[in-house]
Amino acid sequence: MAGHAPANPRMENTEYLMASGIAGSQDDAFRAATTNLVRWLEATCGLNPAEVSSVLGTSIVYDIAEVVDPQPHVVARGPKSALANLKKAPNP
């Protein structure tokens, strides 16, 4: 929803859009990170779910940021180079 902060942090550098997933299990953290990145791309690039899946299915990178805490932390990274030619006007 517009105007609402994501449940988990998002970051960006010159190469990647990155979205965190922090959850009770590593599986849930992977899911949360992926969902966080997908929602971000839908909102900022105006992509539909099929377009996001097509791009991320061949380019997503995962980093396990924390496993010793009771809340595992996974970061999903989407390369900006894979998104450069796909940007559309954001959905209203």
Side-chain angles (χ1 to χ4, degrees), residues 45 47 51 55 79-89:
C45 299
L47 302 176
E51 292 167 326
V55 173
K80 289 181 176 181
S81 61
L83 303 167
N85 296 325
L86 297 174
K87 289 195 175 190
K88 301 182 197 177

Side-chain angles (χ1 to χ4, degrees), residues 19-30:
S20 290
I22 303 167
S25 73
Q26 197 167 358
D27 287 344
D28 288 343
F30 269 98

Side-chain angles (χ1 to χ4, degrees), residues 12-65:
E12 180 176 2
N13 66 19
T14 57
E15 294 181 62
Y16 293 97
L17 295 177
M18 298 168 276
S20 290
I22 303 167
S25 73
Q26 197 167 358
D27 287 344
D28 288 343
F30 269 98
R31 261 190 293 285
T34 304
T35 299
N36 192 3
L37 185 57
V38 166
R39 298 292 177 254
W40 192 11
L41 294 177
E42 289 173 345
T44 61
C45 299
L47 302 176
N48 66 45
E51 292 167 326
V52 172
S53 293
S54 178
V55 173
L56 292 182
T58 59
S59 65
I60 197 167
V61 177
Y62 291 99
D63 296 307
I64 299 173

